[in-house]
Amino acid sequence: MRLIVIGQASFGRDCLQALLDRGEEVVGAMTVPDVPEAKKPNPFKELAVECGLPLLQPRTLKGPEVADWVRDKKPDLFVLVFVTQYMGKDVIDVATHGAINYHPSLLPKYRGGTAIAWAIIHGELQTGVTIHYIDDGVDTGDIVLQESVPIAPDDTTASLYFNKLYPLGVKLVPEAVRLIREGKAPRIPQDPRLASFQPALKPKHTAIDWRQGAETIHNLVRGAFPVPGARALWRGNSLILLEAAPKPAKIWERPSHAPGEVLAVTADGFTVQTGLGELLVKRVQSKEAGKVSAADFAKATGLKAGDTFEPIGHGPSLSRG
């Protein structure tokens, strides 16, 4: 079965390598255009060039340039690994079996480009990888393969991706290709009643509302790491919380201080009152200090018990519909 693999970065490279190691017939590779004066190379492109694969670097996956190039390769299947653009239907239709895509969530839940972050922000205890066919919708195509992983209490978007969803994807992508090649691949329709689409996570979604509970704010800190970061406001300046730990309270316990008030500063960081429980802030980032321990930030800026973080928003919407 003739494959065209589309991807970028280290994940794309490792998926391409896994397909080649399995002896799959890769007849072409597509990746993003080169970035002038980029500090890091594109590992996917490096491997494609090293293996002598025909390579195309279009600005878009739509249009006659791409369609003509892929038509010449006579592909049976497109394999998308780390792709941030929509693929034109005129291109997909060139391949006998269409196209499949790697998605880091248990579809149909958490469709969209920042599914990992939103699963953590919403307090999910598990997520996973879905390999699905591409249709006209966003992450709506029939499912080929799916496998779940647990979300640990201290997982961040970075750790969940690199330690769990990245290696699982490298395993499942070639397995899905094998099933399609052997005519054994299922096409499992997604249940629209279970579907949710989450927007791209941006700073407007990550403003901390100290009236929320410690667990909820902790989930926001984890899900927003490493970017765009959960944002607090102190003395009129933005402060990114990089690492924290919740100190939950019973639901019937009322806060002893106002939400957002600093309760203590210790060697471990500074503790802030929330709407339910307390949050120990361990590491922060500011424009002036960069990334530092919360204790060092407090020492350098004079932050102390009794200070209060100013309100800047109501935090992320927890709607799943």
Side-chain angles (χ1 to χ4, degrees):
M1 186 167 67
R2 296 168 63 84
L3 308 179
I4 290 180
V5 183
I6 308 172
Q8 60 183 298
S10 296
F11 178 73
R13 175 193 174 97
D14 288 350
C15 287
L16 176 58
Q17 186 66 67
L19 290 166
L20 294 171
D21 290 344
R22 288 229 187 164
E24 299 291 352
E25 185 181 4
V26 180
V27 298
M30 295 170 61
T31 191
V32 294
D34 293 332
V35 178
E37 301 179 359
K39 295 181 180 180
K40 295 182 180 179
N42 181 341
F44 180 90
K45 177 184 177 179
E46 288 185 326
L47 179 60
V49 171
E50 177 185 324
C51 295
L53 298 175
L55 179 69
L56 184 67
Q57 295 179 264
R59 294 190 178 279
T60 173
L61 295 179
K62 301 178 180 180
E65 174 199 6
V66 175
D68 290 344
W69 187 86
V70 301
R71 197 175 289 114
D72 180 65
K73 306 296 179 289
K74 299 179 173 61
D76 295 303
L77 182 70
F78 294 103
V79 182
L80 278 67
V81 285
F82 198 147
V83 177
T84 57
Q85 298 182 23
Y86 296 117
M87 198 171 189
K89 188 176 185 299
D90 60 328
V91 177
I92 295 175
D93 288 346
V94 172
T96 309
H97 298 288
I100 59 172
N101 179 60
Y102 159 89
H103 182 77
S105 86
L106 296 175
L107 291 175
K109 212 171 190 181
Y110 299 112
R111 293 170 176 167
T114 50
I116 305 173
W118 283 111
I120 294 175
I121 290 170
H122 285 152
E124 299 287 356
L125 300 180
Q126 71 170 6
T127 186
V129 165
T130 302
I131 309 299
H132 66 96
Y133 287 97
I134 297 178
D135 60 13
D136 291 336
V138 179
D139 301 327
T140 57
D142 292 346
I143 294 169
V144 182
L145 278 178
Q146 197 169 66
E147 191 169 322
S148 64
V149 298
I151 300 178
D154 59 348
D155 263 329
T156 65
T157 292
S159 69
L160 185 56
Y161 174 65
F162 286 108
N163 298 339
K164 300 175 184 179
L165 300 178
Y166 182 126
L168 182 56
V170 174
K171 182 186 86 168
L172 292 186
V173 165
E175 181 61 15
V177 170
R178 179 189 69 80
L179 290 173
I180 294 171
R181 174 168 45 78
E182 295 178 357
K184 300 176 180 178
R187 294 193 71 125
I188 305 169
Q190 296 186 35
D191 186 344
R193 295 171 300 176
L194 304 177
S196 70
F197 178 83
Q198 304 299 324
L201 190 67
K202 296 180 179 180
K204 67 180 181 181
H205 300 120
T206 61
I208 294 173
D209 180 357
W210 294 104
R211 296 172 299 178
Q212 294 180 329
E215 290 280 5
T216 298
I217 297 172
H218 182 231
N219 291 341
L220 179 62
V221 172
R222 296 190 299 131
F225 181 85
V227 291
R231 299 182 300 115
L233 189 65
W234 185 66
R235 291 182 180 174
N237 296 314
S238 180
L239 183 68
I240 302 295
L241 274 57
L242 301 176
E243 184 180 355
K247 296 181 178 181
K250 303 299 182 183
I251 195 167
W252 59 83
E253 293 179 0
R254 291 188 175 184
S256 57
H257 297 264
E261 182 176 338
V262 178
L263 303 178
V265 178
T266 67
D268 295 327
F270 53 84
T271 301
V272 184
Q273 178 71 60
T274 75
L276 184 64
E278 302 168 2
L279 188 75
L280 172 62
V281 180
K282 297 182 176 182
R283 199 158 60 95
V284 299
Q285 178 180 358
S286 70
K287 183 177 181 181
E288 295 76 21
K291 297 178 182 179
V292 295
S293 72
D296 285 346
F297 175 82
K299 183 178 180 180
T301 61
L303 182 145
K304 63 186 182 305
D307 287 347
T308 302
F309 284 92
E310 297 111 273
I312 54 172
H314 300 292
S317 168
L318 299 187
S319 170
R320 304 183 189 210

